[in-house]
Amino acid sequence: MAPACPEGMQIRNRFIDAPGRQIGLRIYRPENHVPGAAAVFFHGGGFVSGSIFTHDVYGISIAQAAGVQVFSVNYRLAPENPYPAAFEDAYFAVQWLAENGAIFDVDPGRIVVGGDSAGGNLAAACAIKARDASGPPIQLQYLIFPCLDTDFETPCYLGNVHDPFLGRTQMMGFWKDYLAGDLSLADPYARPTISRNLSGLAPALVITAEHDPLRDEGNRYAEALAAAGTPTELRCVPGSIHGFIRAIEQSAVVREEVTYLGRAIRSAVSQGD
């Protein structure tokens, strides 16, 4: 069942067929959306939890702010389905939408990809894969407090050892489940920060939180993208914590960031209009 949603928006669920499995989608379609535009969204949850059902606030907020259709992907979760299952589902969904999007009024040249936390990892990996495989021409990768590497010795990790919301030990457990215990896996689709080539990727908007254990890796990834020549904007939100988008109804700061994200997405998919 689709949840209650704001006036002027339609929410519906469907499945797409992948080899040996089906992948669930939740589609957020605002009235008067940008024709042909689509934002793919990958939910967070440390690769082990979360779903299209737990992250409605993201789908609704992005669809409202950007005025585009949002396609939230229900990828497989670890530890039952360790890497590369989630990544394979994520990239398959992007390819599927590019090839079949006409049924939703989606132009393959007007797709952006993004996600929060673990979903930010998947979006970054999809952007690298799309370049490597000459895949869909992604117009923007929007990475919201992404987890990108297994370096747990950063200042932010060491300063948040006992963080009650997202701590170092918790993240180590998530990564161990996702990578089946191999925290040193040398695969840039699993750990985007180890990629030796970050050039030629879709432009990036990286949003990090000041008091987040993942802040340093997100900031460093944005710096590495920019250094490689990939157009990149970094927004480190003062006073914020991991997952702050969920406070959109309570915080003017969050509303400002979501509005900014919406404008960036709309600009990326409206080029040439």
Side-chain angles (χ1 to χ4, degrees):
M1 296 290 291
C5 65
E7 184 178 352
M9 183 180 299
Q10 179 189 68
I11 301 176
R12 57 187 173 128
N13 303 323
R14 69 157 292 161
F15 290 95
I16 59 176
D17 291 322
R21 65 198 188 281
Q22 289 188 315
I23 301 171
L25 296 179
R26 174 160 282 186
I27 305 164
Y28 304 81
R29 184 184 178 101
E31 288 183 358
N32 302 318
H33 56 275
V34 177
V40 178
F41 176 78
F42 305 117
H43 67 79
F47 305 106
V48 304
S49 64
S51 72
I52 56 176
F53 306 104
T54 62
H55 280 63
D56 276 323
V57 65
Y58 287 85
I60 290 171
S61 298
I62 293 170
Q64 287 182 315
V68 304
Q69 294 186 85
V70 174
F71 294 76
S72 184
V73 181
N74 213 39
Y75 56 86
R76 287 172 291 175
L77 300 175
E80 295 83 1
N81 298 285
Y83 179 82
F87 167 65
E88 289 176 343
D89 287 354
Y91 190 68
F92 184 92
V94 175
Q95 283 187 302
W96 185 94
L97 187 60
E99 294 170 1
N100 301 277
I103 62 177
F104 301 109
D105 181 32
V106 171
D107 179 341
R110 293 189 168 191
I111 295 174
V112 303
V113 300
D116 74 298
S117 197
N121 173 295
L122 297 175
C126 284
I128 297 173
K129 176 70 172 180
R131 179 203 61 192
D132 293 348
S134 298
I138 296 169
Q139 300 302 302
L140 176 74
Q141 49 177 318
Y142 61 97
L143 315 180
I144 307 171
F145 30 81
C147 61
L148 298 162
D149 200 1
T150 55
D151 178 4
F152 304 109
E153 303 302 319
T154 65
C156 274
Y157 263 124
L158 297 177
N160 287 276
V161 173
H162 302 297
D163 188 291
F165 188 78
L166 180 66
R168 182 172 182 266
T169 300
Q170 186 181 21
M171 279 304 307
M172 291 176 71
F174 290 156
W175 273 108
K176 286 178 180 177
D177 282 343
Y178 184 49
L179 301 182
D182 186 4
L183 295 180
S184 62
L185 180 65
D187 185 338
Y189 300 146
R191 299 165 55 210
T193 56
I194 70 169
S195 175
R196 295 182 179 180
N197 181 11
L198 294 174
S199 65
L201 299 178
L205 172 60
V206 183
I207 300 173
T208 60
E210 180 183 8
H211 301 297
D212 182 357
L214 307 183
R215 183 196 71 198
D216 291 338
E217 63 198 82
N219 290 357
R220 289 176 182 176
Y221 191 63
E223 293 165 0
L225 288 169
T230 292
T232 304
E233 181 176 5
L234 170 65
R235 290 177 68 85
C236 185
V237 183
S240 60
I241 62 172
H242 189 81
F244 68 83
I245 299 296
R246 291 189 177 276
I248 190 168
E249 294 296 330
Q250 294 79 34
S251 170
V253 171
V254 176
R255 289 192 291 274
E256 179 181 347
E257 290 305 315
V258 172
T259 297
Y260 191 92
L261 171 60
R263 289 174 180 163
I265 291 173
R266 193 178 184 100
S267 176
V269 298
S270 300
Q271 298 301 319
D273 285 352

